[in-house]
Amino acid sequence: KDADSILENDFLYELGRQSTNTNTNVGARAGMIDSKFVGSFLGADGDIASGELRWNETRTLEHLHGDYYICPSFEERIALHLTKNYLAEQLACKVPLILAVWGGKGQGKSFQLELICKKLGVVPIIMSAGELENEWAGTPGKLIRERYRKAAEVVKNQGKMSCLIINDFDAGMIRFKNTQVTVNNQMVLGTLMNICDHPNQ
């Protein structure tokens, strides 16, 4: 067999190719899950992966196949926003860092955005509204900063355009009739405002 076919069938090689984490002692810990799922050939702490440490924040969008329709005006607006931000240092004007996309439920906002990112060769980092709240105060704000820095690393190390996308932002942050504002709501808004004021720090 040639080297390529051997590597394709090698589980550990494939695991390393898909993950940025080279530590094999990751995953579920002994004592935290049923012993029959732990195994012995990789050790008690390394047989099962929880996904927490092997997960990569970036999306390749390779799952999108087919000739889907992309709204030209929406594509132009997204492309213009990305381009202006990447050229912000060379432009003699202030450029908005955040672009909010509003629309009714089920109208394809997230899907169209993913299609546009794939077409433009952008490697997005996608968050959901569920990550905007946490039992520990300040964690969502810290997570946004980490994801924003990860997008910057993609640009610097891979030479590809990247952006941070937060889906259903209104579900996690908007004040409804009788909802209570939490510390995390305030921290997330404060973090986003601070990033807008100092996008390169």
Side-chain angles (χ1 to χ4, degrees), residues 16-200:
R17 187 184 68 81
Q18 294 177 4
S19 174
T20 56
N21 188 354
T22 57
N23 183 7
T24 57
N25 291 321
V26 297
R29 296 292 179 187
M32 304 301 254
I33 58 171
D34 197 306
S35 59
K36 67 182 178 181
F37 295 114
V38 175
S40 59
F41 69 98
L42 284 179
D45 291 337
D47 193 4
I48 291 251
S50 67
E52 181 182 357
L53 296 177
R54 295 183 188 179
W55 184 64
N56 196 353
E57 294 102 332
T58 57
R59 302 280 182 93
T60 60
L61 304 178
E62 293 178 357
H63 63 284
L64 297 176
H65 299 285
D67 188 20
Y68 293 103
Y69 172 78
I70 300 176
C71 178
S73 58
F74 186 54
E75 178 186 1
E76 181 182 347
R77 188 66 191 89
I78 298 297
L80 181 62
H81 179 75
L82 288 170
T83 304
K84 282 163 59 175
N85 271 281
Y86 275 88
L87 298 176
E89 293 182 358
Q90 303 172 18
L91 299 174
C93 63
K94 291 187 177 181
V95 179
L97 186 68
I98 295 176
L99 175 67
V101 179
W102 182 88
K105 289 189 286 187
Q107 293 184 347
K109 301 180 294 295
S110 299
F111 186 58
Q112 284 278 301
L113 194 53
E114 290 183 0
L115 289 174
I116 292 170
C117 285
K118 183 177 181 182
K119 182 177 179 181
L120 298 177
V122 177
V123 180
I125 294 176
I126 301 177
M127 293 180 63
S128 67
E131 296 175 285
L132 298 179
E133 192 56 74
N134 193 282
E135 59 181 326
W136 296 100
T139 302
K142 179 182 176 184
L143 184 62
I144 289 176
R145 285 191 179 281
E146 290 173 351
R147 299 281 172 83
Y148 184 76
R149 288 191 184 108
K150 184 65 179 180
E153 288 178 12
V154 171
V155 176
K156 183 178 179 180
N157 299 334
Q158 299 182 21
K160 298 178 180 179
M161 294 179 73
S162 183
C163 63
L164 175 62
I165 298 174
I166 305 177
N167 286 326
D168 302 315
F169 184 80
D170 60 323
M173 294 304 303
I174 299 301
R175 302 180 188 180
F176 295 99
K177 186 175 181 181
N178 294 315
T179 55
Q180 191 174 18
V181 178
T182 66
V183 174
N184 283 324
N185 293 150
Q186 297 172 331
M187 292 296 289
V188 165
L189 291 176
T191 299
L192 291 174
M193 288 190 291
N194 184 258
I195 290 175
C196 289
D197 291 336
H198 310 284
N200 296 325

Side-chain angles (χ1 to χ4, degrees), residues 1-8:
K1 293 183 177 180
D2 60 343
D4 291 336
S5 62
I6 293 174
L7 289 176
E8 286 177 3

